Amino acid sequence: QVQLVESGGGSVQTGGSLRLSCTASGDTFCIAAMGWYRQAPGRERELVARITSLDVANYSESLKGRFTISRDNAKNTLWLQMNSLKPEDTAVYYCNADRIFLKTCSGPYNYWGQGTQVTVSS
């Protein structure tokens, strides 16, 4: 089993920056790709960015250039650097991890953190 804990959320002004972190614990060797998702009030949860175990990153097209995802497998940590924040970025941000397909890794196909609130004011 894998546990994910996010931190780094908060309230910033338009144009500000935040760096979110997600620390994984438990059977971290069972983690494949990881990602950040967000959910704003009244909207569906949407992909922000994903990154493979080999550090290949993919971004939501609308966020590419402002957000950067990275990971440190040795520290079992995932980050999301957010720059030039806009009010439309206000949402709860969730950390996600996919389970690797190994017989020694059982449980859900993916794991989710509890979320961290990001609020961008104008």
Side-chain angles (χ1 to χ4, degrees):
Q1 297 293 303
V2 174
Q3 296 80 45
L4 305 173
V5 178
E6 303 100 330
S7 63
S11 181
V12 298
Q13 297 282 348
T14 297
S17 298
L18 283 174
R19 190 166 93 150
L20 308 182
S21 64
C22 170
T23 300
S25 60
D27 299 329
T28 57
F29 58 88
C30 294
I31 295 175
M34 300 186 73
W36 289 98
Y37 293 74
R38 69 184 185 184
Q39 187 167 21
R43 299 192 62 181
E44 298 285 343
R45 187 172 299 186
E46 65 176 350
L47 170 70
V48 175
R50 294 186 63 78
I51 186 167
T52 72
S53 60
L54 298 178
D55 290 346
V56 178
N58 291 282
Y59 299 87
S60 171
E61 190 66 29
S62 64
L63 301 176
K64 193 172 185 178
R66 294 195 297 121
F67 290 11
T68 302
I69 190 171
S70 60
R71 67 189 293 174
D72 186 333
N73 293 332
K75 296 181 179 180
N76 300 315
T77 302
L78 177 75
W79 293 280
L80 181 68
Q81 179 66 48
M82 304 186 293
N83 298 323
S84 302
L85 285 164
K86 307 174 182 178
E88 63 189 32
D89 296 320
T90 296
V92 177
Y93 285 71
Y94 296 91
C95 178
N96 164 265
D98 293 337
R99 179 172 60 82
I100 195 169
F101 293 103
L102 290 175
K103 294 293 292 184
T104 54
C105 297
S106 61
Y109 284 113
N110 55 75
Y111 300 90
W112 294 92
Q114 80 289 344
T116 184
Q117 177 71 49
V118 171
T119 302
V120 185
S121 61
S122 59

